[in-house]
Amino acid sequence: MSLELGVNIDHIATLRQARGTTYPDLLQAMILVEEAGADAITIHLREDRRHIQDADVYAIRKHCRRRLNLELAATDEMVNIACDVLPNDACIVPEKREELTTEGGLDVIGSFERVKTSTMRLNQAGIRVSLFIEPDIEQIKRVPDIGAPVIELHTGTYANAIGDAKKREFERIIKASELADELGIQVNAGHGLDYENTQMIAAIPQIQELNIGHSIVARAVFVGIKQATSEMLELLRTARL
């Protein structure tokens, strides 16, 4: 099974918003990422609009030649925007205003009705829904009841761990991937992945897509976004050899 790469370009917008300028141009970054061979463009429209703006979402939807994956919180406002924009995929994520980045997976059990309602609305609009969740067996068992065909496993704990803790978290990801696959759920993964820790995750056969942003944008400072994307794609390719 081939492994796809979704490139999150949020932090191109972060740099732009730092000075309130019109550059760097988000659409230009998207085009270069697509030319490098990425399979999807990922963006996160946050409640506080700290990087991606509403106008960005509509512009990217208009010009995107690959799949568009819109990350969003399970709120009426965000679901309404998604149903108007019609991205290919919508990934429901937890969101807190004060966090620097998404700090963990969605609590499917604790927010079951809210997430299910959002998922149903997105499904009805023809948008494929994924849930950004921890590699937790009990959480994954409830996903079929939500109605989402895809999960994205949170790899941030794995990425930040060292030694035995990293090995334990990697084993959790493997077991979670195997269970989800048995349940007929597509398995994606992402968060905190970089050019050193990605290949182990990429080698897990059940995982079909990785969504990676910050490390690619950081690498792009030195080599450009097109080469940074190409280098990550090569890591994914060799992980499955």
Side-chain angles (χ1 to χ4, degrees), residues 162-169:
I162 57 174
D164 290 342
K166 197 176 198 73
K167 290 176 62 177
R168 288 193 298 270
E169 190 63 19

Side-chain angles (χ1 to χ4, degrees), residues 222-235:
F222 302 102
V223 303
I225 192 73
K226 192 170 183 177
Q227 183 175 327
T229 301
S230 296
E231 289 175 2
M232 186 61 75
L233 282 164
E234 180 64 12
L235 286 177

Side-chain angles (χ1 to χ4, degrees), residues 90-93 106 108 115 119 129-133 142-143 146 148 150-153:
C91 183
I92 300 178
V93 302
L106 191 69
V108 171
V115 175
T119 299
V129 179
S130 64
L131 306 180
F132 184 76
I133 63 175
R142 297 305 305 275
V143 172
I146 294 283
V150 184
I151 59 170
E152 180 172 333
L153 295 176

Side-chain angles (χ1 to χ4, degrees), residues 114-134:
R114 177 167 56 88
V115 175
K116 184 174 182 178
T117 298
S118 296
T119 299
M120 289 176 60
R121 286 193 58 201
L122 293 165
N123 282 338
Q124 289 166 359
I127 303 166
R128 185 174 66 164
V129 179
S130 64
L131 306 180
F132 184 76
I133 63 175
E134 293 294 325

Side-chain angles (χ1 to χ4, degrees), residues 48 64 73 108 115 126 138 185 217 231:
D48 62 8
C64 185
V108 171
V115 175
E138 296 307 313
I185 302 165
V217 174
E231 289 175 2

Side-chain angles (χ1 to χ4, degrees), residues 93-109:
V93 302
E95 186 174 315
K96 291 184 280 188
R97 278 184 176 270
E98 66 274 15
E99 66 188 1
L100 288 176
T101 184
T102 306
E103 293 175 347
L106 191 69
D107 182 2
V108 171
I109 298 171

